[in-house]
Amino acid sequence: MTTVSLVRANSYDREALQTALVEVLAPLGGIESVVKPGDRVLLKPNLLTGSRPKNECVTRPELVVEVARLVKQAGGVPFLGDSPAFGTAEGVAQSNGYLPFLQEVDLPVVEFRGKRYPTEGDRFGHLLLSKEAMDADVVINLPKIKSHQQLTMTLGVKNLFGCVPGKMKAWWHMQAGRSAQEFGAMLVETARTLAPNLTIVDGIIAHEGNGPTNGTTRFLGILGASEDVFALDLSLLEVLGVDPMKVPTHEAALAAGCYAEEAVEFPLCHPQELAIADWQLPDRMQPIDFGMPRVIKSTFKHLYIRLIKEPISAYQAQKAS
């Protein structure tokens, strides 16, 4: 039986959030069902951008730090990682107020490096994915509920795109991004290859309208969790009243046979209990391709830092010592 756990959660207050997390994870066996002592655990939030911290475009740091506490209590060794298309994970985290929370629980931020991995399906063959994510003992996916101008919605499956190294994300947006269906298929293969052990969705305050960055905040008061990212995404679409066939990742997951044949169990709240009737989708759909000049400029800046500036700085430091 595939289990999707949904609860009402009304606040990012730390004590209330900890209680809600324990509640939503209980039907899955608690955090101990996926984290064993000594496991290296990647916490993968949505660190989309540092430019709009008030738009609720990223997973809230309160949720990340409380999940980190649970992981540590289970004996795991958590670390935070993501790959923003522009900037670094630490820089975007800092812009969104993460650093005091990370310091509080001694949660390191890891920048992702890429390596090619074979995919389960034959459509892409291989994908460049984060070595740090693939090498982790446990991957906990921490998406934000958002509307999306290219993919209609971004939930658990789309959030795993952050495990594609930064510059490659921009190139994928320019290539597959011109076709939402092709992009959706690539995202599904990414999710299947990464196979997150647990997804916990931040739906307390969501982002609707012209997301992923230009929409508006929307209080939903929801936390969701499942070991099956595809089942959780589909359940959330039911909560929001969004037609799944308008969501390219759902279409691709359906075609790839990603949904469990057995029934989905809702031990706490059923999607119908949490359903809303007026979730706002984008008023127009459009490709998100970042723009070729911006990608080239960012790529050369990245290469300059890695190949020229860092070696010179290291040489100067060694010479001074």
Side-chain angles (χ1 to χ4, degrees), residues 52-107:
R52 297 176 177 86
K54 295 182 180 180
N55 280 18
E56 294 290 345
C57 300
V58 305
T59 310
R60 285 286 286 262
E62 294 91 337
L63 177 67
V64 175
V65 76
E66 292 306 324
V67 173
R69 286 187 187 280
L70 291 176
V71 169
K72 288 193 169 190
Q73 290 171 13
V77 183
F79 64 97
L80 183 147
D82 198 4
S83 182
F86 298 100
T88 64
E90 185 169 5
V92 174
Q94 182 173 5
S95 297
N96 284 282
Y98 264 71
L99 293 195
F101 294 92
L102 303 182
Q103 293 165 358
E104 181 182 323
V105 292
D106 191 23
L107 183 64

Side-chain angles (χ1 to χ4, degrees), residues 252-319:
L254 192 63
C258 295
Y259 294 108
E261 294 183 2
E262 65 269 19
V264 175
E265 175 187 35
F266 298 101
L268 300 176
C269 292
H270 191 279
Q272 293 176 359
E273 297 177 56
L274 302 172
I276 62 172
D278 57 348
W279 176 258
Q280 298 299 306
L281 292 175
D283 56 28
R284 63 191 181 280
M285 304 301 289
Q286 60 185 29
I288 300 174
D289 61 11
F290 292 108
M292 180 67 77
R294 186 181 182 192
V295 172
I296 292 174
K297 180 179 178 181
S298 179
T299 299
F300 273 104
K301 180 179 178 182
H302 174 78
L303 291 174
Y304 167 74
I305 292 172
R306 291 294 301 273
L307 301 180
I308 299 175
K309 187 175 181 179
E310 287 179 356
I312 289 176
S313 298
Y315 171 76
Q316 291 173 338
Q318 183 179 19
K319 186 177 180 180

Side-chain angles (χ1 to χ4, degrees), residues 23-200:
E23 181 185 3
V24 79
L25 293 176
L28 307 176
I31 198 72
E32 297 81 8
S33 66
V34 294
V35 177
K36 306 305 177 189
D39 280 348
R40 293 188 69 256
V41 181
L42 168 63
L43 304 184
K44 167 57 184 79
N46 185 326
L47 292 181
L48 175 65
T49 178
S51 64
R52 297 176 177 86
K54 295 182 180 180
N55 280 18
E56 294 290 345
C57 300
V58 305
T59 310
R60 285 286 286 262
E62 294 91 337
L63 177 67
V64 175
V65 76
E66 292 306 324
V67 173
R69 286 187 187 280
L70 291 176
V71 169
K72 288 193 169 190
Q73 290 171 13
V77 183
F79 64 97
L80 183 147
D82 198 4
S83 182
F86 298 100
T88 64
E90 185 169 5
V92 174
Q94 182 173 5
S95 297
N96 284 282
Y98 264 71
L99 293 195
F101 294 92
L102 303 182
Q103 293 165 358
E104 181 182 323
V105 292
D106 191 23
L107 183 64
V109 179
V110 173
E111 303 294 339
F112 285 164
R113 298 167 297 159
K115 180 178 176 181
R116 290 199 171 276
Y117 294 90
T119 58
E120 185 172 339
D122 57 7
R123 183 166 184 172
F124 297 96
H126 291 74
L127 289 172
L128 188 67
L129 301 173
S130 160
K131 186 176 185 299
E132 292 74 18
M134 293 295 289
D135 287 349
D137 298 308
V138 174
V139 174
I140 298 181
N141 186 22
L142 299 171
K144 184 85 167 178
I145 293 179
K146 297 190 292 184
S147 293
H148 196 282
Q149 284 186 290
Q150 185 178 6
L151 296 164
T152 307
M153 291 296 304
T154 173
L155 300 166
V157 171
K158 173 63 173 64
N159 191 52
L160 293 168
F161 189 47
C163 292
V164 174
K167 299 303 170 284
M168 184 54 66
K169 288 180 66 178
W171 287 107
W172 261 113
H173 268 291
M174 288 194 298
Q175 297 300 317
R178 300 184 192 281
S179 164
Q181 286 67 36
E182 181 75 1
F183 196 17
M186 177 267 177
L187 293 171
V188 165
E189 285 306 311
T190 296
R192 295 171 81 189
T193 304
L194 287 162
N197 303 82
L198 176 66
T199 297
I200 305 172

